[in-house]
Amino acid sequence: MRNGRTKSWVGWARSVILLSCVWWSVLCCVLAGYPAAQTRASASSPAASPTSFSPREFVTHHEGVFGGEKIRYTAIAADTVLSDEAGSPAATIFSFSYIRDEVKDRTARPVFFVFNGGPGSSSIWLHLGFFGPRRVALGDAVNPPTTPPFSLQDNPYAILDIADVVLIDPVGTGFSHLLPAGNAKQYYGVEQDGRATVEFIEAWLTKQGRMNSPKFVVGESYGVTRAIVVARMLMGGPFSETGRLTAIPLNGLVIMGGSPTESFGKETGDMSYVNNLPTLAATAWYHKKAGRPGSTLESVIAEAETFAANEYLQVLYTGDRLDAQSQKQVAERLATLTGLSADFILQKKLRLSIEDFRKQLLLEKSLVVGAYDSRFTLPAGADEGPLDPVADDPAMGKYSPAYIGAMDVYLRDELKIKVDSPYEAIAFKSVNSAWDYGSGNKPGGPTTRAQDLAAAMRRSPRLQLLSASGAYDTVATLGAAEYGIAHSGLPLDRINARTYAAGHMVYLGDEGSAAFAADLRKLVASAISH
């Protein structure tokens, strides 16, 4: 009996072992065959069909006067190819590098990586507006030419005497584009775009032998989000998008036309009215609708900030509990600051939206002020249809033609770039509308990441931040920028928050450009002196 039980147990064990081997063999086959099947499926799809792509590179040599010094420099306009996880070329980022010649110790020379926002915008605005050696000739910046021919001029504010500059066009903008093996979901999103930008920066530093150079990143508008995400990702790590320890620290970070916490012009709640008030007051002062005799831009902003942070904030908190006489007094105070009538302000329950203000300020002249720069005006639109938020904006509608027309001349005639496709200034449909903002971010208004910025500054105790705001920017108000910095848990002793006499593009006009250039030079001197 005992021997029979032993034989039964042995038989059972053999069956289990046999079944286990069969199961394991099947599993291995499935696991081994899945990637192959997946690869075959991908290879058969049109998007992944193999095609050759030869990176483009255009090199020209120039000279100019920067910071009072005559300088020779090399301009390199070139593709940087980005690969997917399988190592296949998936996208190309086209960039413009301006590198000073005859530098003895190039590793000690700072390098700026610069981009605009959108998402979906090329770097054309910062390129021909401030950081490039040549800039678009606008004459009176607030009344620029709107029909061709457009022209260029030497840029007296460029910083090529103290730093090299790299202007980046994200995938899908400028001459950058997806390759057959790539797809939009790999690059059109907050995290994906940040990873691609980090890959570009690392590739550029490696190719140029500049990994040990002082590094600065500049982002404007949505570029604020990109700059902050990139600052965090440049370190890398096991949980980062890169999945590697890249350990590339920044000496300085520059954010323009944005806040570490607020959405661009999409804030809600009473704090939005508080934060917007200094910009409304500055705009009313510029158009001579408000302001005391002898007041300056600085004094008007300061007066509005004081009222907003104290009495106005308390009044909004009180809400409908505020008695009628007090409401009237507050409305009259707001009228002196904003140039709107007290009656209209009372109708709005003391809460002035940006849109209402832009339409009401110059209503008697049938003019509407610009969103991106409230110094600009255009006749109010007809009632028969909605206006385009960009093409019909008094600011972007006026200065965009000059930028795009001059860029075409600059690319072909001066940088000798031969590309058949047009330069994509802003890709609204293909890039912007397809953007993945991720969890916690809303397509209606991309939010920057205060935690990312705080993490980057915590990891690098010497990283310094310059926050640049335009007094006449109603898309990202100066109050929202200051509020965001004050509520982000950032080391305030390493932050310089500045306001310029300009709009969303703080360099639009000589006054803003001169002040911004001076602050950049101070940032470089301070950030590399430690």
Side-chain angles (χ1 to χ4, degrees):
M1 190 69 180
R2 179 180 178 184
N3 187 46
R5 284 196 300 268
T6 301
K7 288 181 180 181
S8 176
W9 180 88
V10 171
W12 175 83
R14 287 176 178 174
S15 299
V16 170
I17 293 172
L18 180 60
L19 287 173
S20 299
C21 290
V22 171
W23 178 86
W24 181 250
S25 298
V26 171
L27 179 61
C28 289
C29 289
V30 170
L31 292 176
Y34 178 72
Q38 188 179 45
T39 302
R40 287 193 296 272
S42 300
S44 64
S45 65
S49 59
T51 59
S52 60
F53 174 76
S54 298
R56 303 159 293 185
E57 183 174 273
F58 306 90
V59 180
T60 51
H61 303 280
H62 313 262
E63 66 178 30
V65 177
F66 309 103
E69 187 178 356
K70 189 174 183 179
I71 291 171
R72 294 180 179 179
Y73 63 94
T74 297
I76 304 174
D79 284 302
T80 297
V81 176
L82 306 179
S83 299
D84 59 18
E85 293 183 356
S88 300
T92 175
I93 287 182
F94 198 88
S95 64
F96 302 86
S97 303
Y98 297 101
I99 303 173
R100 181 174 180 172
D101 298 337
E102 301 171 354
V103 174
K104 293 182 179 179
D105 184 8
R106 197 163 295 280
T107 59
R109 183 168 167 79
V111 57
F112 275 70
F113 294 97
V114 182
F115 38 74
N116 277 93
S121 176
S122 68
S123 62
I124 183 175
W125 320 105
L126 284 167
H127 195 165
L128 290 191
F130 185 84
F131 279 97
R134 299 272 281 164
R135 67 172 182 163
V136 58
L138 296 177
D140 179 358
V142 183
N143 294 287
T146 56
T147 55
F150 304 107
S151 58
L152 295 154
Q153 63 187 32
D154 291 336
N155 183 3
Y157 306 109
I159 58 172
L160 292 181
D161 55 310
I162 62 169
D164 295 332
V165 174
V166 184
L167 291 128
I168 303 170
D169 288 340
V171 179
T173 75
F175 292 138
S176 306
H177 57 84
L178 292 169
L179 295 175
N183 64 73
K185 292 183 178 180
Q186 291 176 296
Y187 296 99
Y188 299 165
V190 176
E191 297 295 310
Q192 305 94 308
D193 169 75
R195 184 201 69 243
T197 307
V198 168
E199 290 175 0
F200 168 84
I201 291 174
E202 184 180 26
W204 191 96
L205 292 170
T206 301
K207 182 177 181 179
Q208 298 296 331
R210 302 292 294 276
M211 195 64 74
N212 204 35
S213 293
K215 305 169 195 69
F216 297 79
V217 164
V218 181
E220 180 179 57
S221 196
Y222 175 79
V224 172
T225 295
R226 180 181 292 120
I228 292 174
V229 171
V230 165
R232 184 254 298 169
M233 283 189 181
L234 278 170
M235 179 57 69
F239 303 119
S240 71
E241 277 285 319
T242 63
R244 301 166 46 239
L245 181 62
T246 43
I248 301 175
L250 294 176
N251 296 70
L253 187 65
V254 182
I255 57 175
M256 310 165 64
S259 161
T261 57
E262 298 292 336
S263 303
F264 300 126
K266 302 293 182 181
E267 302 87 357
T268 58
D270 283 344
M271 278 309 303
S272 67
Y273 303 108
V274 173
N275 288 335
N276 291 344
L277 188 59
T279 295
L280 306 190
T283 302
W285 173 85
Y286 178 84
H287 290 287
K288 297 180 172 55
K289 297 288 290 182
R292 306 176 191 279
S295 60
T296 64
L297 175 61
E298 291 74 17
S299 67
V300 166
I301 290 175
E303 182 180 358
E305 287 178 335
T306 299
F307 177 74
N310 295 281
E311 184 178 354
Y312 190 39
L313 182 60
Q314 295 172 9
V315 164
L316 294 182
Y317 176 78
T318 302
D320 293 338
R321 294 171 292 177
L322 192 68
D323 63 83
Q325 182 61 31
S326 297
Q327 288 185 36
K328 183 178 179 181
Q329 291 175 353
V330 173
E332 291 172 349
R333 183 79 171 90
L334 287 170
T336 64
L337 288 169
T338 66
L340 303 190
S341 72
D343 288 341
F344 179 82
I345 295 172
L346 280 172
Q347 292 175 18
K348 295 297 179 178
K349 294 188 175 182
L350 309 179
R351 292 163 173 82
L352 293 175
S353 71
I354 291 291
E355 283 305 304
D356 283 340
F357 174 80
R358 290 179 54 229
K359 294 175 182 177
Q360 290 290 322
L361 182 65
L362 302 178
L363 184 62
E364 78 282 0
K365 298 180 180 180
S366 296
L367 296 175
V368 60
V369 301
Y372 290 90
D373 193 322
S374 59
R375 295 175 296 174
F376 289 74
T377 64
L378 275 180
D383 295 333
E384 59 266 19
L387 298 178
D388 187 286
V390 174
D392 289 317
D393 177 65
M396 284 203 75
K398 279 188 175 181
Y399 60 65
S400 294
Y403 271 84
I404 292 172
M407 188 67 167
D408 184 74
V409 173
Y410 182 57
L411 294 174
R412 270 68 182 182
D413 295 350
E414 299 193 23
L415 296 185
K416 308 300 181 184
I417 295 176
K418 297 180 180 180
V419 176
D420 292 335
S421 59
Y423 184 83
E424 193 76 66
I426 303 180
F428 292 109
K429 184 176 181 180
S430 60
V431 179
N432 184 279
S433 63
W435 204 255
D436 173 18
Y437 292 97
S439 59
N441 293 280
K442 298 180 180 179
T447 55
T448 54
R449 303 199 169 181
Q451 290 182 339
D452 286 349
L453 181 55
M457 298 192 77
R458 182 179 66 250
R459 294 169 180 174
S460 182
R462 293 181 178 179
L463 172 60
Q464 297 188 32
L465 173 70
L466 170 61
S467 175
S469 299
Y472 309 115
D473 182 3
T474 72
V475 174
T477 64
L478 65 96
E482 293 179 354
Y483 182 87
I485 289 173
H487 292 78
S488 298
L490 303 174
L492 300 182
D493 60 326
R494 287 189 276 143
I495 297 175
N496 183 17
R498 297 278 287 151
T499 301
Y500 304 91
H504 201 58
M505 295 158 58
V506 303
Y507 45 86
L508 193 63
D510 289 329
E511 185 177 357
S513 288
F516 182 52
D519 286 336
L520 281 179
R521 292 176 181 277
K522 291 177 183 176
L523 173 67
V524 171
S526 176
I528 67 176
S529 64
H530 293 84

